[in-house]
Amino acid sequence: MTTARVQAWGRLEAAEHAVHRLTERSAPLPAAARPGLPHGNGRSYGDVALNPGGTLWMTRGLDRFISFDAATGVLACEAGVLLDEIIRVALPQGWFLPVTPGTRFVTVGGAIANDVHGKNHHGQGSFGHHVLGLSLLRTDGERIDCGPGLRPAWFAATVGGLGLTGVILTAQLQLMPVRSEWMQGESQPFRSLAEFFALSAAAETRHDYVVSWLDCVHASGSGQDARGILFSASHATEGATPPPPARARRVPLTPPVSLINGLSLRAFNQAYFHRHAARAGAQRQHLLPFFYPLDSLLEWNRIYGPRGFHQYQCALPRRDEQAATAELLKAIRASGQGSFLAVLKTFGEREGLGLLSFPLPGTTVALDFPDHGASTLALFDRLDAIVREAGGRLYPAKDGRQSRAMFEAGYPRHTDFLAFRDPGLSSAMSRRIFGH
């Protein structure tokens, strides 16, 4: 057991933790290390994977593959395995993750605990829909095997359960067959929200993956004329020899101030929109840069400077998705703050399996904001009011400040979840949301 100052991907603050590395799935949890919390590769943006003053059980040491059937695509592995490690093993054999978030450097346990989603929710749902089973270790020593057909109530509590039902030790995943490592798709500019929703709906009938970049500072006073680029693609049926892996670059240091400001933001967004609008049309690329463009720049979170950044990601129900998105953009523009990493995409009708799963039928908006203290938090309060009025919710994996009332309004099954909480587990988020 050691101590360390640990911070989330948003780099907002670092807190002292006792740290214990888990390496053997057959071993009990250390009795003196409670309250604890499982912690994967540290890619959650807010405080869902932090436990200040408590213990973090670091799961990256549980990094072994248990079995892989190359004929069926069924993979069993420990919870500390990275999605990147799965891709390295499975892709050369014709298999890929059926759902993946925007980085491949997250653990399987973290992907389950946050029920991550990707660019293909309209076709494949979220990560939990492809988990065949998992094993869970409670702090009292009980081991629980569960899945969609085995102790399904425990499975529903653990998928999207924020790491609070126990330590996920192993998981069995159903991978997806692919015939090449290439993507065939297209890009299309849009200049209003109405155009985005029309283009997105049409693209979902043609392609497996649909996502858009949004210029959040360009929206008019109504928010309706927001512009952006819609990207859509499907796995190509054949492809040339994959290119050699690109050498990842690294942000070498943390600048003394955030590099994201009004001047740089407007310049970047202007250049990005016009460059991609000029190249609109059919596109073909290797799947790694399509799914994980930011993974080519390691430690990119440093560009926000020593104060770090927040990500604000919400889901808006179908009935009010366009009007509520416009209101969000209107509020952001009026605040004078903004994000160059702004994502707008739709969710399909498939409900999440977890009691606290984030996706819902409708639209999700995700934006990064440098931390400007009170002015940023005041903006988030205004955005919260819009999301709550629309019947939406915030994504816990990205959040570090929403109120208990906001969470309870967005997750009506939270009271059912409490029956499955492990009393020996706690996090900064659970204390803020649940009181313990």
Side-chain angles (χ1 to χ4, degrees):
M1 184 78 66
T2 61
T3 60
R5 292 184 64 79
V6 182
Q7 62 183 179
W9 189 248
R11 295 171 56 89
L12 291 170
E13 59 183 67
E16 195 77 16
H17 293 76
V19 175
H20 182 86
R21 187 169 182 260
L22 302 181
T23 58
E24 297 295 333
R25 63 180 184 270
S26 60
L29 296 172
R34 300 170 189 155
L37 183 73
H39 182 96
N41 204 38
R43 287 305 182 104
S44 297
Y45 285 51
D47 59 2
V48 67
L50 298 180
N51 187 21
T55 300
L56 292 179
W57 289 311
M58 314 302 281
T59 64
R60 271 292 288 139
L62 300 172
D63 61 354
R64 293 178 274 280
F65 288 84
I66 299 169
S67 65
F68 177 55
D69 188 334
T72 64
V74 174
L75 168 73
C77 64
E78 293 181 331
V81 169
L82 295 178
L83 301 188
D84 177 63
E85 292 165 340
I86 294 176
I87 294 169
R88 291 176 183 272
V89 168
L91 188 57
Q93 300 184 67
W95 298 93
F96 188 63
L97 299 161
V99 170
T100 180
T103 175
R104 63 190 189 274
F105 299 126
V106 301
T107 63
V108 169
I112 295 171
N114 293 287
D115 195 17
V116 297
H117 57 273
K119 302 174 178 67
N120 60 341
H121 188 271
H122 63 282
Q124 297 291 340
S126 54
F127 196 87
H129 287 109
H130 307 277
V131 178
L132 303 178
L134 60 88
S135 63
L136 193 67
L137 176 60
R138 304 270 286 178
T139 58
D140 63 3
E142 182 183 10
R143 293 174 183 260
I144 296 173
D145 293 325
C146 58
L150 175 67
R151 306 187 77 174
W154 277 101
F155 186 70
T158 302
V159 171
L162 313 179
L164 297 174
T165 63
V167 179
I168 300 173
L169 298 175
T170 65
Q172 188 178 46
L173 310 176
Q174 176 61 66
L175 303 186
M176 176 181 67
V178 293
R179 296 181 62 182
S180 81
E181 299 186 16
W182 293 83
M183 307 297 293
Q184 185 68 49
E186 58 188 319
S187 63
Q188 300 167 279
F190 59 87
R191 292 174 173 80
S192 71
L193 289 181
E195 188 178 9
F196 159 75
F197 282 106
L199 289 175
S200 182
E204 288 178 1
T205 67
R206 301 191 304 271
H207 292 295
D208 299 327
Y209 304 91
V210 180
V211 67
S212 73
W213 168 83
L214 179 67
D215 184 351
C216 66
V217 299
H218 181 76
S220 68
S222 68
Q224 290 286 353
D225 72 342
R227 69 183 182 184
I229 306 292
L230 185 86
F231 301 97
S232 55
S234 297
H235 292 277
T237 56
E238 58 184 6
T241 302
R247 183 176 180 180
R249 295 170 294 163
R250 184 183 300 273
V251 177
L253 51 82
T254 301
V257 296
S258 173
L259 300 182
I260 310 303
N261 53 52
L263 183 62
S264 65
L265 181 64
R266 290 184 182 277
F268 174 88
N269 284 11
Q270 181 84 353
Y272 190 91
F273 176 80
H274 287 292
R275 178 164 64 91
H276 283 277
R279 299 176 179 178
Q283 297 179 347
R284 186 178 180 87
Q285 66 181 132
H286 191 259
L287 61 77
L288 289 183
F290 175 79
F291 287 108
Y292 314 111
L294 286 177
D295 284 350
S296 63
L297 183 61
L298 302 178
E299 297 186 76
W300 61 263
N301 54 345
R302 287 181 168 184
I303 67 175
Y304 288 91
R307 296 190 61 167
F309 71 103
H310 301 263
Q311 182 168 116
Y312 190 94
Q313 182 165 8
C314 62
L316 303 167
R318 185 84 64 217
R319 65 180 183 274
D320 292 321
E321 58 187 353
Q322 183 170 330
T325 301
E327 286 299 310
L328 291 174
L329 296 179
K330 179 180 176 181
I332 291 166
R333 187 182 188 196
S335 76
Q337 302 180 65
S339 168
F340 73 89
L341 293 174
V343 174
L344 177 63
K345 61 185 176 185
T346 59
F347 285 143
E349 302 303 312
R350 202 170 183 184
E351 296 283 354
L353 294 179
L355 297 177
L356 303 181
S357 289
F358 169 67
L360 53 75
T363 295
T364 181
V365 185
L367 308 102
D368 291 347
F369 293 91
D371 178 36
H372 294 307
S375 63
T376 302
L377 297 179
L379 169 61
F380 291 165
D381 287 341
R382 293 194 292 275
L383 302 184
D384 285 355
I386 296 168
V387 173
R388 188 168 178 178
E389 177 66 23
R393 59 176 60 137
L394 302 185
Y395 191 16
K398 306 295 181 65
D399 172 62
R401 36 69 55 189
Q402 72 172 304
S403 67
R404 179 185 298 191
M406 182 73 184
F407 182 87
E408 291 178 350
Y411 294 89
R413 295 192 288 177
H414 69 275
T415 52
D416 298 331
F417 170 78
L418 293 176
F420 299 92
R421 271 209 59 179
D422 187 323
L425 297 180
S426 184
S427 69
M429 173 173 282
S430 75
R431 295 192 284 274
R432 174 165 49 87
I433 297 299
F434 298 116
H436 58 93

